[in-house]
């Protein structure tokens, strides 16, 4: 790997994302030696005026010890914080970015920086409204110094626009200033351990290869639930809603990995080519296969308009029109203020043909990948109930990570993805054509919701969402198993 003269610039350094995600991820990378003090400098840039030490103090409480690193934590923090420098300036002023460039260049030429090329990673922890001006400023004033070689990369985070048109405008604007190979569109779900496992599970296990299609699979659910509301970010959330916040990006990315064909190789472009094909094969959404909801009390937030129709819950059925998936509903479901907090993929198989055990209705085979909390992969099987009688029962093969990989510390999604950006690996980032295809799927529905032509149904906080959503899942083929309790479920 390249060493020396790496500058990581966090734009929007005093904001929520930077404090909660970006800086802690950098801290953990540093603690584990993936970025080293003699190789890297970190710059925070934002509008507020403050000193280096003020920023460091603000960040300190967000830097929590890694598992098993409690004893060295204070030392780890005191080695990390001095690497951060703060530069203040507006997001559209030449002076601000000239000053930033001066600071970065001073580091690159200082004796603290070892020989090496000029590598500049700009992390946008910014509201998207300032993306265009910031991109322009970076391009004009802050690119890596060509006489030193190296690279400039930008890391951008959703929302990438509000619909197809605005997303394409943003892409065109950024695309005029940076090459696709310089742009890292983060979707942090792609950094989750079990999302990264999908490719391996599907393509390295002979067992799944012949089963993974419409002949055997009845339906697929991709579910995201949170047991809290939009506390503190109602104003932001109301402009986007759950479809833009979760389905169009996180759940759709997961769908791609569940549904795509085997890529030619593991090269990022080969993988992303297959993801785009899946998205392009998704049929227009049928409104009879959509239920949107809004939790009661959402509009009590003073920053939310009293007549808001913004969904905080959605179930949307997607249908992939290709040879593998004809007829299989992909049920995407996400909600805030639900009865639990989890994200999982549930692949439900069809009933066994010619069943001799009279087991119909007693539960189907399911393959479940729980992304969080407590990562697990388990499979629901019908077995003989132990004992003298010949009775069937539903049981499970269980791979719970906490039990099976007791010593392993699973890295945070942001940690892994930031490391990829430094290493120049775009596999787990969203390509421009992927983004476009994702917006194409949801834009017509979003416009209808924005125009109040599709109404959000009320649901009780702490519930499963509107009951129409469960009915819809049932209507398209999902069979819920009643009375089955996974006994180890709560222990890990
Ligand atoms: C973010 C959404 O992208 O993902 C939030 O904007 C949501 O609304 C969050 O809470 C969920 O991420 P995670 O990793 O906690 O599942």
């Amino acid at each position: 790997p390249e060493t020396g003269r790496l500058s990581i610039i966090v734009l929007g350094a005093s904001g929520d994302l930077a404090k909660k995600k970006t800086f802690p991820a950098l801290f953990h990378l540093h603690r584990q030696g993936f970025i080293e003090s003699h190789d890297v400098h970190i710059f925070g840039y934002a509008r507020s005026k403050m000193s280096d030490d003020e920023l460091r103090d603000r960040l300190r409480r967000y830097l929590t010890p890694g598992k098993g690193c409690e004893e060295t934590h204070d030392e780890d923090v005191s080695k990390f914080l001095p690497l951060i420098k703060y530069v203040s300036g507006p997001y559209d002023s030449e002076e601000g970015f000239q000053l930033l460039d001066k600071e970065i260049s001073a580091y690159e030429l200082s004796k603290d920086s070892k020989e090496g090329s000029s590598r500049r990673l700009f992390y946008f922890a910014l509201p998207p409204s300032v993306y265009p001006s910031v991109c322009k400023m970076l391009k004009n004033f802050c690119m890596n110094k060509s006489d030193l070689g190296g690279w400039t990369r930008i890391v951008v985070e959703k929302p990438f626009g509000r619909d197809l048109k605005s997303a394409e405008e943003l892409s065109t604007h950024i695309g005029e200033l940076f090459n696709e190979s310089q742009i890292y569109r983060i979707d942090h779900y792609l950094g989750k351990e079990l999302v990264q496992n999908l490719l391996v599970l599907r393509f390295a296990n002979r067992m799944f290869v012949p089963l993974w299609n419409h002949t055997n699979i009845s339906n697929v659910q991709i579910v995201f639930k949170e047991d809290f509301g939009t506390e503190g970010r109602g104003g932001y959330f109301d402009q986007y809603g759950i479809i833009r916040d979760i389905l169009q990006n996180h759940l759709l990315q997961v769908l791609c990995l569940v549904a795509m064909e085997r890529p030619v190789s593991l090269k990022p472009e080969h993988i992303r080519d297959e993801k785009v094909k899946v998205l392009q094969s998704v049929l227009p959404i049928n409104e009879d296969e959509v239920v949107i909801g809004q939790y009661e009390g959402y509009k009590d937030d003073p920053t939310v308009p009293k007549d808001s129709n913004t969904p905080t819950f959605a179930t949307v059925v997607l249908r992939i029109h290709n040879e593998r998936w004809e007829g299989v509903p992909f049920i995407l479901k996400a909600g805030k203020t639900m009865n639990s907090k989890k994200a999982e993929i549930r692949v439900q198989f069809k009933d066994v043909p010619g069943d001799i055990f009279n087991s119909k209705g007693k539960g189907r085979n399911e393959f479940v990948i729980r992304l969080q909390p407590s990562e697990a992969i388990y499979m629901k099987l019908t077995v003989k109930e132990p004992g003298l009688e010949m009775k069937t029962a539903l049981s499970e093969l269980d791979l719970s990570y906490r039990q099976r990989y007791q010593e392993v510390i699973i890295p945070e999604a942001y940690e892994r993805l930031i490391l990829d950006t430094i290493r120049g690996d775009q596999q787990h980032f969203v390509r421009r054509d992927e983004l476009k295809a994702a917006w194409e799927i949801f834009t017509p529905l979003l416009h209808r919701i924005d125009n109040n032509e599709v109404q959000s149904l009320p649901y009780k906080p702490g519930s499963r969402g509107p009951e129409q959503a469960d009915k819809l899942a049932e209507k398209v083929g999902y069979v819920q198993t009643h009375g089955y309790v996974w006994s180890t479920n709560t222990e890990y």
Side-chain angles (χ1 to χ4, degrees), residues 349-387:
F349 288 85
K350 294 185 171 172
D351 289 325
V352 174
D355 168 42
I356 54 171
F357 295 103
N358 195 21
S359 57
K360 195 168 161 62
K362 293 192 189 150
R364 286 174 156 183
N365 286 145
E366 280 181 8
F367 180 54
V368 185
I369 299 160
R370 190 165 61 213
L371 310 180
Q372 62 193 37
S374 308
E375 292 83 349
I377 300 171
Y378 62 96
M379 212 184 275
K380 282 164 55 174
L381 296 184
T382 300
V383 300
K384 176 183 166 307
E385 200 173 279

Short mmCIF file of all heavy atoms in Angstrom, two decimals, residues 349-387:
data_model
loop_
_atom_site.label_atom_id
_atom_site.label_comp_id
_atom_site.label_asym_id
_atom_site.label_seq_id
_atom_site.Cartn_x
_atom_site.Cartn_y
_atom_site.Cartn_z
N PHE A 349 -38.86 -20.24 1.21
CA PHE A 349 -38.97 -21.23 0.14
C PHE A 349 -40.42 -21.67 -0.02
O PHE A 349 -41.26 -21.47 0.86
CB PHE A 349 -38.06 -22.42 0.46
CG PHE A 349 -36.60 -22.06 0.29
CD1 PHE A 349 -35.90 -21.44 1.31
CD2 PHE A 349 -35.96 -22.29 -0.92
CE1 PHE A 349 -34.57 -21.07 1.14
CE2 PHE A 349 -34.63 -21.92 -1.09
CZ PHE A 349 -33.93 -21.31 -0.06
N LYS A 350 -40.68 -22.31 -1.16
CA LYS A 350 -42.04 -22.81 -1.42
C LYS A 350 -42.30 -24.06 -0.59
O LYS A 350 -41.37 -24.69 -0.07
CB LYS A 350 -42.17 -23.14 -2.90
CG LYS A 350 -42.08 -21.90 -3.77
CD LYS A 350 -42.33 -22.21 -5.24
CE LYS A 350 -42.45 -20.91 -6.02
NZ LYS A 350 -42.51 -21.09 -7.46
N ASP A 351 -43.56 -24.46 -0.52
CA ASP A 351 -43.89 -25.72 0.17
C ASP A 351 -43.30 -26.90 -0.60
O ASP A 351 -43.09 -26.82 -1.81
CB ASP A 351 -45.42 -25.88 0.23
CG ASP A 351 -46.05 -24.89 1.19
OD1 ASP A 351 -45.42 -24.60 2.23
OD2 ASP A 351 -47.15 -24.40 0.90
N VAL A 352 -43.08 -28.00 0.13
CA VAL A 352 -42.56 -29.21 -0.52
C VAL A 352 -43.70 -29.82 -1.36
O VAL A 352 -44.80 -30.01 -0.85
CB VAL A 352 -42.12 -30.22 0.56
CG1 VAL A 352 -41.71 -31.55 -0.06
CG2 VAL A 352 -40.99 -29.64 1.40
N PRO A 353 -43.42 -30.13 -2.62
CA PRO A 353 -44.48 -30.76 -3.40
C PRO A 353 -44.69 -32.21 -2.96
O PRO A 353 -43.73 -32.87 -2.54
CB PRO A 353 -43.95 -30.71 -4.84
CG PRO A 353 -42.51 -30.36 -4.77
CD PRO A 353 -42.17 -29.92 -3.37
N GLY A 354 -45.89 -32.68 -3.01
CA GLY A 354 -46.18 -34.07 -2.65
C GLY A 354 -45.89 -34.37 -1.19
O GLY A 354 -45.38 -35.44 -0.85
N ASP A 355 -46.21 -33.44 -0.33
CA ASP A 355 -45.91 -33.57 1.10
C ASP A 355 -46.61 -34.79 1.72
O ASP A 355 -47.81 -34.99 1.54
CB ASP A 355 -46.39 -32.28 1.78
CG ASP A 355 -46.41 -32.39 3.28
OD1 ASP A 355 -45.45 -32.95 3.83
OD2 ASP A 355 -47.38 -31.90 3.89
N ILE A 356 -45.86 -35.64 2.44
CA ILE A 356 -46.47 -36.82 3.06
C ILE A 356 -46.61 -36.66 4.58
O ILE A 356 -47.07 -37.55 5.27
CB ILE A 356 -45.65 -38.10 2.75
CG1 ILE A 356 -44.20 -37.90 3.14
CG2 ILE A 356 -45.80 -38.51 1.29
CD1 ILE A 356 -43.35 -39.16 3.07
N PHE A 357 -46.14 -35.55 5.10
CA PHE A 357 -46.18 -35.37 6.57
C PHE A 357 -47.32 -34.47 7.03
O PHE A 357 -47.40 -34.11 8.18
CB PHE A 357 -44.85 -34.78 7.06
CG PHE A 357 -43.70 -35.69 6.84
CD1 PHE A 357 -42.81 -35.48 5.81
CD2 PHE A 357 -43.52 -36.80 7.66
CE1 PHE A 357 -41.76 -36.33 5.59
CE2 PHE A 357 -42.47 -37.67 7.45
CZ PHE A 357 -41.59 -37.44 6.41
N ASN A 358 -48.09 -34.06 6.08
CA ASN A 358 -49.16 -33.14 6.42
C ASN A 358 -48.61 -31.90 7.13
O ASN A 358 -49.14 -31.43 8.12
CB ASN A 358 -50.18 -33.88 7.32
CG ASN A 358 -51.47 -33.10 7.41
OD1 ASN A 358 -51.74 -32.27 6.53
ND2 ASN A 358 -52.25 -33.36 8.46
N SER A 359 -47.47 -31.43 6.64
CA SER A 359 -46.82 -30.32 7.35
C SER A 359 -47.16 -28.95 6.76
O SER A 359 -46.66 -27.93 7.21
CB SER A 359 -45.30 -30.53 7.38
OG SER A 359 -44.82 -30.66 6.07
N LYS A 360 -48.00 -28.96 5.76
CA LYS A 360 -48.38 -27.67 5.15
C LYS A 360 -49.00 -26.76 6.22
O LYS A 360 -49.80 -27.21 7.03
CB LYS A 360 -49.40 -27.93 4.04
CG LYS A 360 -49.59 -26.76 3.12
CD LYS A 360 -50.38 -27.18 1.88
CE LYS A 360 -51.00 -26.03 1.15
NZ LYS A 360 -50.09 -25.08 0.60
N GLY A 361 -48.58 -25.53 6.21
CA GLY A 361 -49.12 -24.60 7.19
C GLY A 361 -48.38 -24.63 8.52
O GLY A 361 -48.63 -23.84 9.41
N LYS A 362 -47.42 -25.58 8.66
CA LYS A 362 -46.69 -25.63 9.93
C LYS A 362 -45.35 -24.91 9.82
O LYS A 362 -44.51 -25.03 10.69
CB LYS A 362 -46.46 -27.09 10.33
CG LYS A 362 -47.75 -27.81 10.67
CD LYS A 362 -47.46 -29.12 11.33
CE LYS A 362 -48.72 -29.95 11.46
NZ LYS A 362 -48.41 -31.37 11.41
N GLY A 363 -45.15 -24.22 8.74
CA GLY A 363 -43.92 -23.45 8.61
C GLY A 363 -43.12 -23.89 7.41
O GLY A 363 -42.98 -25.06 7.13
N ARG A 364 -42.61 -22.91 6.69
CA ARG A 364 -41.84 -23.19 5.50
C ARG A 364 -40.35 -23.08 5.80
O ARG A 364 -39.96 -22.45 6.78
CB ARG A 364 -42.18 -22.14 4.44
CG ARG A 364 -43.53 -22.34 3.81
CD ARG A 364 -43.82 -21.16 2.90
NE ARG A 364 -44.78 -21.51 1.87
CZ ARG A 364 -45.16 -20.67 0.92
NH1 ARG A 364 -44.68 -19.44 0.87
NH2 ARG A 364 -46.02 -21.06 0.01
N ASN A 365 -39.56 -23.65 4.91
CA ASN A 365 -38.11 -23.41 5.02
C ASN A 365 -37.85 -21.92 4.82
O ASN A 365 -38.39 -21.30 3.91
CB ASN A 365 -37.34 -24.16 3.92
CG ASN A 365 -37.26 -25.64 4.16
OD1 ASN A 365 -37.29 -26.43 3.23
ND2 ASN A 365 -37.15 -26.04 5.41
N GLU A 366 -37.02 -21.39 5.68
CA GLU A 366 -36.61 -20.00 5.49
C GLU A 366 -35.11 -19.90 5.73
O GLU A 366 -34.57 -20.61 6.59
CB GLU A 366 -37.33 -19.08 6.49
CG GLU A 366 -38.73 -18.74 6.06
CD GLU A 366 -39.45 -17.82 7.04
OE1 GLU A 366 -38.81 -17.30 7.98
OE2 GLU A 366 -40.65 -17.61 6.85
N PHE A 367 -34.50 -19.03 4.97
CA PHE A 367 -33.09 -18.76 5.16
C PHE A 367 -33.03 -17.29 5.58
O PHE A 367 -33.47 -16.41 4.84
CB PHE A 367 -32.34 -18.99 3.84
CG PHE A 367 -30.88 -18.73 3.92
CD1 PHE A 367 -30.10 -19.37 4.87
CD2 PHE A 367 -30.26 -17.86 3.03
CE1 PHE A 367 -28.73 -19.14 4.94
CE2 PHE A 367 -28.89 -17.63 3.09
CZ PHE A 367 -28.13 -18.27 4.04
N VAL A 368 -32.55 -17.05 6.80
CA VAL A 368 -32.61 -15.69 7.34
C VAL A 368 -31.20 -15.16 7.60
O VAL A 368 -30.37 -15.85 8.19
CB VAL A 368 -33.41 -15.65 8.67
CG1 VAL A 368 -33.58 -14.23 9.17
CG2 VAL A 368 -34.77 -16.31 8.50
N ILE A 369 -30.97 -13.97 7.13
CA ILE A 369 -29.68 -13.32 7.39
C ILE A 369 -30.00 -12.07 8.21
O ILE A 369 -30.65 -11.14 7.70
CB ILE A 369 -29.00 -12.94 6.07
CG1 ILE A 369 -28.76 -14.22 5.26
CG2 ILE A 369 -27.69 -12.19 6.30
CD1 ILE A 369 -28.54 -13.97 3.81
N ARG A 370 -29.61 -12.12 9.47
CA ARG A 370 -29.90 -10.94 10.30
C ARG A 370 -28.68 -10.02 10.28
O ARG A 370 -27.61 -10.38 10.76
CB ARG A 370 -30.24 -11.36 11.73
CG ARG A 370 -30.77 -10.15 12.50
CD ARG A 370 -31.46 -10.52 13.78
NE ARG A 370 -30.51 -11.20 14.63
CZ ARG A 370 -30.81 -12.17 15.48
NH1 ARG A 370 -32.04 -12.59 15.60
NH2 ARG A 370 -29.88 -12.71 16.21
N LEU A 371 -28.89 -8.84 9.72
CA LEU A 371 -27.78 -7.89 9.59
C LEU A 371 -27.46 -7.25 10.93
O LEU A 371 -26.32 -6.96 11.24
CB LEU A 371 -28.14 -6.80 8.58
CG LEU A 371 -28.69 -7.26 7.22
CD1 LEU A 371 -29.01 -6.06 6.35
CD2 LEU A 371 -27.68 -8.15 6.52
N GLN A 372 -28.52 -7.00 11.72
CA GLN A 372 -28.35 -6.37 13.02
C GLN A 372 -29.64 -6.44 13.80
O GLN A 372 -30.69 -6.56 13.16
CB GLN A 372 -27.95 -4.90 12.83
CG GLN A 372 -29.02 -4.11 12.11
CD GLN A 372 -28.55 -2.75 11.63
OE1 GLN A 372 -27.44 -2.59 11.20
NE2 GLN A 372 -29.42 -1.77 11.72
N PRO A 373 -29.66 -6.35 15.11
CA PRO A 373 -28.46 -6.44 15.95
C PRO A 373 -28.07 -7.91 16.03
O PRO A 373 -28.82 -8.76 15.57
CB PRO A 373 -28.99 -5.94 17.30
CG PRO A 373 -30.44 -6.34 17.31
CD PRO A 373 -30.89 -6.29 15.88
N SER A 374 -26.93 -8.21 16.61
CA SER A 374 -26.48 -9.59 16.80
C SER A 374 -26.52 -10.36 15.48
O SER A 374 -27.45 -11.13 15.21
CB SER A 374 -27.36 -10.33 17.81
OG SER A 374 -27.46 -9.61 18.98
N GLU A 375 -25.52 -10.14 14.69
CA GLU A 375 -25.45 -10.78 13.38
C GLU A 375 -25.69 -12.29 13.48
O GLU A 375 -25.11 -12.94 14.36
CB GLU A 375 -24.07 -10.57 12.75
CG GLU A 375 -23.76 -9.14 12.36
CD GLU A 375 -23.25 -8.26 13.49
OE1 GLU A 375 -23.30 -8.67 14.67
OE2 GLU A 375 -22.80 -7.14 13.19
N ALA A 376 -26.51 -12.79 12.58
CA ALA A 376 -26.76 -14.24 12.58
C ALA A 376 -27.23 -14.69 11.21
O ALA A 376 -27.81 -13.90 10.45
CB ALA A 376 -27.81 -14.61 13.62
N ILE A 377 -26.94 -15.95 10.92
CA ILE A 377 -27.50 -16.57 9.72
C ILE A 377 -28.17 -17.82 10.22
O ILE A 377 -27.55 -18.60 10.95
CB ILE A 377 -26.37 -16.95 8.74
CG1 ILE A 377 -25.59 -15.70 8.32
CG2 ILE A 377 -26.94 -17.67 7.52
CD1 ILE A 377 -24.35 -16.00 7.53
N TYR A 378 -29.45 -18.02 9.93
CA TYR A 378 -30.08 -19.26 10.36
C TYR A 378 -31.07 -19.75 9.33
O TYR A 378 -31.50 -19.00 8.44
CB TYR A 378 -30.72 -19.13 11.75
CG TYR A 378 -31.82 -18.12 11.90
CD1 TYR A 378 -33.15 -18.51 11.81
CD2 TYR A 378 -31.54 -16.79 12.18
CE1 TYR A 378 -34.18 -17.59 11.99
CE2 TYR A 378 -32.56 -15.87 12.36
CZ TYR A 378 -33.87 -16.27 12.26
OH TYR A 378 -34.89 -15.36 12.43
N MET A 379 -31.35 -21.03 9.44
CA MET A 379 -32.18 -21.65 8.45
C MET A 379 -33.28 -22.41 9.17
O MET A 379 -32.99 -23.17 10.09
CB MET A 379 -31.32 -22.63 7.68
CG MET A 379 -31.72 -22.77 6.25
SD MET A 379 -30.74 -23.99 5.47
CE MET A 379 -29.33 -23.13 4.98
N LYS A 380 -34.50 -22.18 8.79
CA LYS A 380 -35.60 -22.90 9.44
C LYS A 380 -35.88 -24.18 8.68
O LYS A 380 -36.09 -24.17 7.46
CB LYS A 380 -36.85 -22.00 9.48
CG LYS A 380 -36.72 -20.98 10.58
CD LYS A 380 -37.65 -19.82 10.53
CE LYS A 380 -39.10 -20.08 10.46
NZ LYS A 380 -39.86 -18.80 10.57
N LEU A 381 -35.83 -25.27 9.40
CA LEU A 381 -36.00 -26.60 8.81
C LEU A 381 -37.12 -27.34 9.50
O LEU A 381 -37.34 -27.14 10.70
CB LEU A 381 -34.74 -27.45 9.04
CG LEU A 381 -33.41 -27.04 8.45
CD1 LEU A 381 -32.39 -28.11 8.77
CD2 LEU A 381 -33.53 -26.86 6.96
N THR A 382 -37.74 -28.24 8.77
CA THR A 382 -38.69 -29.14 9.41
C THR A 382 -37.93 -30.40 9.79
O THR A 382 -37.21 -30.97 8.96
CB THR A 382 -39.84 -29.48 8.44
OG1 THR A 382 -40.49 -28.26 8.09
CG2 THR A 382 -40.84 -30.44 9.06
N VAL A 383 -38.04 -30.80 11.04
CA VAL A 383 -37.34 -32.01 11.52
C VAL A 383 -38.35 -32.90 12.25
O VAL A 383 -39.46 -32.47 12.56
CB VAL A 383 -36.18 -31.67 12.49
CG1 VAL A 383 -35.15 -30.80 11.81
CG2 VAL A 383 -36.70 -30.98 13.75
N LYS A 384 -37.92 -34.09 12.55
CA LYS A 384 -38.76 -34.96 13.37
C LYS A 384 -38.68 -34.46 14.81
O LYS A 384 -37.57 -34.21 15.31
CB LYS A 384 -38.27 -36.40 13.29
CG LYS A 384 -39.04 -37.34 14.19
CD LYS A 384 -38.47 -38.74 14.14
CE LYS A 384 -39.02 -39.57 15.28
NZ LYS A 384 -38.84 -38.98 16.60
N GLU A 385 -39.78 -34.30 15.44
CA GLU A 385 -39.73 -33.88 16.83
C GLU A 385 -39.12 -35.02 17.63
O GLU A 385 -39.57 -36.16 17.51
CB GLU A 385 -41.16 -33.60 17.31
CG GLU A 385 -41.17 -32.73 18.54
CD GLU A 385 -42.61 -32.33 18.88
OE1 GLU A 385 -43.12 -31.39 18.25
OE2 GLU A 385 -43.18 -32.99 19.75
N PRO A 386 -38.08 -34.74 18.42
CA PRO A 386 -37.43 -35.85 19.12
C PRO A 386 -38.42 -36.57 20.05
O PRO A 386 -39.23 -35.92 20.71
CB PRO A 386 -36.34 -35.17 19.94
CG PRO A 386 -36.19 -33.80 19.38
CD PRO A 386 -37.48 -33.44 18.74
N GLY A 387 -38.37 -37.87 20.06
CA GLY A 387 -39.29 -38.63 20.91
C GLY A 387 -39.86 -39.82 20.18
O GLY A 387 -39.46 -40.12 19.06
#
